[in-house]
Every structure is written in structure tokens, then in C-alpha cells.
């Protein structure tokens, strides 16, 4: 799990980091501290970082925590957020956020553990996975949900996302094994597709949500359709599970 912490006061960021380190469910998580929201947004938008949980203060110099969360969510849509307010009052801008919790700073010592435990449990039910991509001298962390497909071209792998593409010498199987994701399936000797981003599935080709057409090899048809059927079944059961 990856956690970002952002506040204009560096001492408060260090204190929060120490507090989060004491929470059992995220003890082994990577925690990245920030004192400037622009650095946080830049890291996420450049694919240098992705976060499962973002702990961020509402007042950040000239920017608000709500606006920063929205900028992060534009590239990292599954990120859950804890917005810290200076006072124990309602923040009207919260209506713009989903999957977020408002926590007054004065209550952080009492309730941060409970809130983080709740978000971590929710993330475990719908966990985002990441691909650690080495492209030349650059290391990029890309959410699996943003990847459309991977194409093996000779010794290279082309990783195509919703917004851009990257080349790496890492084979698709290596990328997928280290990510732990189960939503990719091989549909051709050279192609691995993300079932999350399939628009239309036919016997001879797949159309992705961006309009790309991916060929389906004869030897992969049965396994592909079985995997897609299982994916759709799991998705429907998750969407319509009874409320408790």
C-alpha cells in the first residue's frame, strides 16, 4: 500500500508519518511525505507516484486540500482521501469528493487509526494494483486500471495506457507477476489485454474502450472467453452485493 501525507508544516508531516507507522494494517506501507501540494500533484500526474490513501490538510498555502485531491484523482481515481481541517466544522467543498473522510486535526490522535483501518479494509475489497515500469532511465508506477493492453514486439514490450504509451525491455509476464493483478489475460501470442477496459469481445478480435482493435489467437479464444465471463460475474456480484 502507498500512502501520501501532505501539510504545509513539515513538523506536522513528520508527526503524522510517525503516527501512521504505528497503525498495524499499514505498518509496512510506503509513506511519501510532502510539504507542497504542487510536488504531490506533479508526482502523480507524471506517473512517478500513485497512492492508495492520501492524508492531506485542507489549508495548504494558496491551495485547498479539496482541489489537490481532485487533481490527484484525475490520474489516480482509486485513491481514498482523509481531509484534515483546522477546525471542527463542516467544509462545504466536501460535496465535490467521494471516498473521502473529513477529520478535524484536533481529533487526529483519537480517530486517525480508526479511519485508516476502515479505508484499508475498503481498499482490500477493491484493491488497485500497480505496474512498476522501467522505461530507459525512468521508473514509473502505473495503476493497472489505466493500462489498456501490453504488446510484445521482439525484445521490447509496448505498454499502452488511456493517455499514453511506454516501451520497456521487461516482458509482460514479469510486469504482471510483480503487480499481482488478475485482470489481464493473454489473447494472442503478442498481446495481453486488461479486462477492465474491454469494450467489445468477439471471437477474432477485441475492441478496447479507446477504439483499439486487438487480435485474438485461435489457441487463446476459449481461455479468453472463460476469463472474461468470470470477470463479469465477479463484477456483478460486487456491484449488487447486499448492504449489511
Amino acid at each position: 500500500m502507498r500512502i501520501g501525507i501532505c501539510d504545509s508544516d513539515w513538523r506536522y508531516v513528520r508527526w503524522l508519518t510517525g503516527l501512521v507507522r504505528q497503525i498495524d494494517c499499514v505498518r509496512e506501507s510506503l509513506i511519501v511525505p510532502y510539504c507542497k501540494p504542487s510536488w504531490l500533484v506533479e508526482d502523480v500526474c507524471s506517473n512517478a507516484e500513485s497512492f492508495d490513501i492520501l492524508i492531506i490538510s485542507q489549508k495548504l498555502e494558496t491551495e485547498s486540500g479539496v482541489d489537490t485531491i481532485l487533481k490527484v484523482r484525475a490520474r489516480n481515481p482509486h485513491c481514498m482521501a482523509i481531509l484534515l481541517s483546522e477546525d471542527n466544522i463542516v467544509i462545504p467543498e466536501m460535496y465535490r469528493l467521494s471516498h473521502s473522510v473529513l477529520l478535524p486535526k484536533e481529533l487526529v490522535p483519537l480517530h486517525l487509526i480508526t479511519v485508516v483501518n476502515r479505508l484499508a479494509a475498503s481498499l482490500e475489497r477493491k484493491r488497485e494494483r500497480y505496474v512498476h515500469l522501467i522505461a530507459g532511465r525512468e521508473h514509473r508506477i502505473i495503476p493497472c486500471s489505466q493500462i489498456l493492453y501490453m504488446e510484445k514486439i521482439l525484445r521490447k514490450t509496448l505498454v499502452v495506457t488511456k493517455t499514453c504509451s511506454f516501451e520497456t525491455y521487461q516482458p509482460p509476464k514479469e510486469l504482471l507477476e510483480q503487480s499481482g493483478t488478475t485482470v489481464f489475460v493473454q489473447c494472442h501470442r503478442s498481446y495481453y489485454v486488461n479486462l477492465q477496459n474491454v469494450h467489445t469481445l468477439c471471437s477474432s478480435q477485441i475492441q478496447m474502450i479507446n477504439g483499439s482493435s486487438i487480435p485474438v489467437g485461435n489457441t487463446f479464444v476459449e481461455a479468453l472467453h472463460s476469463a472474461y465471463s468470470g470477470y463479469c460475474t465477479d463484477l456483478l456480484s460486487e456491484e449488487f452485493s447486499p448492504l449489511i
Side-chain angles (χ1 to χ4, degrees), residues 9-66:
D9 185 343
W10 189 249
R11 292 170 299 178
Y12 189 71
V13 171
R14 292 179 60 187
W15 178 78
L16 270 178
T17 301
L19 191 60
V20 172
R21 285 285 183 211
Q22 298 177 46
I23 304 175
D24 288 338
C25 68
V26 294
R27 191 185 301 276
E28 303 301 323
S29 299
L30 174 67
I31 300 176
V32 184
Y34 295 92
C35 61
K36 290 186 177 294
S38 57
W39 296 352
L40 166 64
V41 173
E42 182 179 348
D43 278 357
V44 172
C45 290
S46 66
N47 287 322
E49 273 295 358
S50 288
F51 295 108
D52 297 291
I53 297 175
L54 178 61
I55 304 174
I56 186 168
S57 295
Q58 167 63 2
K59 293 183 179 179
L60 295 165
E61 298 176 347
T62 59
E63 295 194 37
S64 75
V66 170

Side-chain angles (χ1 to χ4, degrees), residues 18-235:
L19 191 60
V20 172
R21 285 285 183 211
Q22 298 177 46
I23 304 175
D24 288 338
C25 68
V26 294
R27 191 185 301 276
E28 303 301 323
S29 299
L30 174 67
I31 300 176
V32 184
Y34 295 92
C35 61
K36 290 186 177 294
S38 57
W39 296 352
L40 166 64
V41 173
E42 182 179 348
D43 278 357
V44 172
C45 290
S46 66
N47 287 322
E49 273 295 358
S50 288
F51 295 108
D52 297 291
I53 297 175
L54 178 61
I55 304 174
I56 186 168
S57 295
Q58 167 63 2
K59 293 183 179 179
L60 295 165
E61 298 176 347
T62 59
E63 295 194 37
S64 75
V66 170
D67 289 335
T68 302
I69 292 171
L70 291 173
K71 291 176 183 176
V72 170
R73 289 259 180 86
R75 295 300 296 269
N76 194 174
H78 296 284
C79 177
M80 295 192 176
I82 301 173
L83 185 67
L84 305 180
S85 61
E86 300 295 333
D87 305 303
N88 191 4
I89 58 175
V90 174
I91 296 178
E93 300 96 321
M94 279 294 292
Y95 80 91
R96 300 163 62 193
L97 299 177
S98 59
H99 306 296
S100 301
V101 177
L102 177 63
L103 185 62
K105 283 188 174 181
E106 64 184 62
L107 299 180
V108 165
L110 293 175
H111 297 297
L112 184 65
I113 293 176
T114 301
V115 172
V116 170
N117 279 328
R118 192 176 78 185
L119 295 185
S122 180
L123 282 167
E124 195 60 34
R125 292 192 296 270
K126 187 179 180 181
R127 184 168 177 78
E128 174 67 290
R129 303 287 182 175
Y130 302 93
V131 165
H132 179 196
L133 186 74
I134 303 173
R137 295 183 178 181
E138 295 184 346
H139 288 243
R140 295 181 177 273
I141 298 170
I142 305 175
C144 290
S145 61
Q146 297 299 304
I147 299 173
L148 300 175
Y149 62 89
M150 299 183 186
E151 180 183 1
K152 190 78 172 68
I153 306 173
L154 298 177
R155 295 176 56 212
K156 291 185 177 181
T157 299
L158 179 67
V159 179
V160 179
T161 74
K162 295 177 180 179
T163 57
C164 51
S165 59
F166 306 94
E167 283 189 346
T168 178
Y169 283 102
Q170 298 163 278
K173 287 186 177 180
E174 176 187 316
L175 291 170
L176 298 177
E177 284 175 2
Q178 49 98 347
S179 72
T181 184
T182 58
V183 296
F184 282 81
V185 62
Q186 188 172 9
C187 65
H188 186 275
R189 184 177 59 183
S190 303
Y191 289 90
Y192 292 75
V193 295
N194 185 347
L195 298 176
Q196 292 175 301
N197 294 320
V198 169
H199 181 268
T200 306
L201 176 61
C202 303
S203 58
S204 60
Q205 68 175 12
I206 299 169
Q207 185 177 31
M208 308 304 294
I209 58 174
N210 70 335
S212 300
S213 294
I214 309 298
V216 176
N218 291 333
T219 58
F220 298 94
V221 172
E222 186 175 344
L224 171 64
H225 282 260
S226 176
Y228 190 64
S229 176
Y231 168 75
C232 291
T233 300
D234 291 343
L235 189 65

Side-chain angles (χ1 to χ4, degrees), residues 234-243:
D234 291 343
L235 189 65
L236 287 171
S237 63
E238 183 177 301
E239 288 290 333
F240 297 101
S241 58
L243 298 175

